[in-house]
Amino acid sequence: MYTPIPESLFEVFDRFEKFTVIGHEEPDGDCLSSQLALSSFLSRRGGETALVSPGPFTRKEISSLEKEFHYHIPEDFRTEDTLTVVLDCSTVDRIGYLAEEVGESRIAVIDHHASGSPFGDVRYIDVEAPSVTYMVHSIIEAYGDTPTRDEAHTLLFGLATDTGFFRHLGEDNAPVLYSAARLVEAGASPKEVFARMYGGRPLASRTLLGRLLARTEAHFD
């Protein structure tokens, strides 16, 4: 059902020691979470990483993450001895101005979108995957490792945001729920993830939703 991880991705992860981990403009929970978890994993394996995002961090549930990211690629990560990993992007223009800052580094792409213009030297594309965080979890486990508690919580948050807290999954997605269960076993909290996604909204937003629903009209049955 899901696309196997290409050997070429393992090869570059094993060969390089410096990694720039980039996501798309207007980032969402899956994009930033996959960046954070992959960067943490590569660091645990002895790599030097730079987390970069073009932002902006306007969504309420991700605003606190801004401090973890650079807005520009550090100069010493724009070299041929660096692997740039681009996550959750089907076309290179999704990373905006950062495309001009990659420099001479090789590019690996990890994405789950069906459309777009292929780019990068190494590509791991799985259009059946519900989120890039699901793919990153698969990479960690393919190395025979288990996410740390922080990585697991981050991965569950990204998976939950891209699946509408699992509402968008169909009958063929049992492996995704098994993956979520393993993240919980590793220390992730579904309760905390749900509260972060849907909690703390002001009364005015609830009132507005009520007004919208009160004006709903039925057409054509």
Side-chain angles (χ1 to χ4, degrees):
M1 176 181 177
Y2 299 108
T3 302
I5 304 169
E7 285 298 323
S8 56
L9 186 67
F10 294 121
E11 290 171 3
V12 290
F13 279 170
D14 292 339
R15 187 191 331 153
F16 285 86
E17 297 181 354
K18 293 178 64 175
F19 305 90
T20 303
V21 184
I22 296 178
H24 57 73
E25 294 177 307
E26 301 287 346
D28 55 12
D30 181 43
C31 178
L32 297 178
S33 295
S34 59
Q35 288 181 258
L36 286 163
L38 181 62
S39 176
S40 175
F41 175 64
L42 293 173
S43 296
R44 287 199 288 117
R45 297 186 71 242
E48 182 183 0
T49 64
L51 277 167
V52 187
S53 174
F57 296 77
T58 54
R59 300 177 187 230
K60 179 182 180 298
E61 68 274 16
I62 64 167
S63 59
S64 64
L65 299 177
E66 182 175 6
K67 62 182 182 297
E68 305 291 339
F69 293 82
H70 297 281
Y71 273 105
H72 295 277
I73 300 175
E75 288 291 339
D76 57 338
F77 281 81
R78 304 184 189 188
T79 60
E80 60 183 9
D81 65 342
T82 300
L83 178 69
T84 297
V85 187
V86 180
L87 299 167
D88 205 25
C89 295
S90 58
T91 58
V92 71
D93 62 303
R94 290 285 281 129
I95 63 174
Y97 61 83
L98 294 176
E100 303 297 325
E101 300 183 4
V102 170
E104 301 177 357
S105 66
R106 292 194 67 188
I107 298 176
V109 178
I110 303 174
D111 186 39
H112 69 136
H113 296 101
S115 61
S117 302
F119 70 101
D121 303 293
V122 176
R123 295 170 53 77
Y124 172 28
I125 310 298
D126 187 351
V127 299
E128 299 297 329
S131 69
V132 178
T133 37
Y134 176 82
M135 299 169 71
V136 170
H137 187 196
S138 298
I139 292 170
I140 294 173
E141 292 185 329
Y143 271 101
D145 207 336
T146 300
T148 66
R149 183 186 182 282
D150 286 344
E151 290 168 359
H153 192 73
T154 297
L155 290 168
L156 184 62
F157 174 71
L159 177 60
T161 56
D162 248 29
T163 61
F165 218 88
F166 310 108
R167 290 174 299 164
H168 307 320
L169 296 179
E171 64 275 9
D172 297 327
N173 292 126
V176 180
L177 296 177
Y178 294 145
S179 174
R182 294 194 298 278
L183 292 174
V184 173
E185 287 180 342
S189 169
K191 178 180 179 180
E192 291 179 13
V193 168
F194 186 87
R196 181 175 171 186
M197 289 174 61
Y198 300 112
R201 298 185 180 181
L203 176 61
S205 70
R206 308 293 187 180
T207 303
L208 177 60
L209 177 60
R211 292 177 63 186
L212 290 170
L213 293 174
R215 295 157 121 180
T216 302
E217 298 178 1
H219 295 271
F220 307 106
D221 294 322

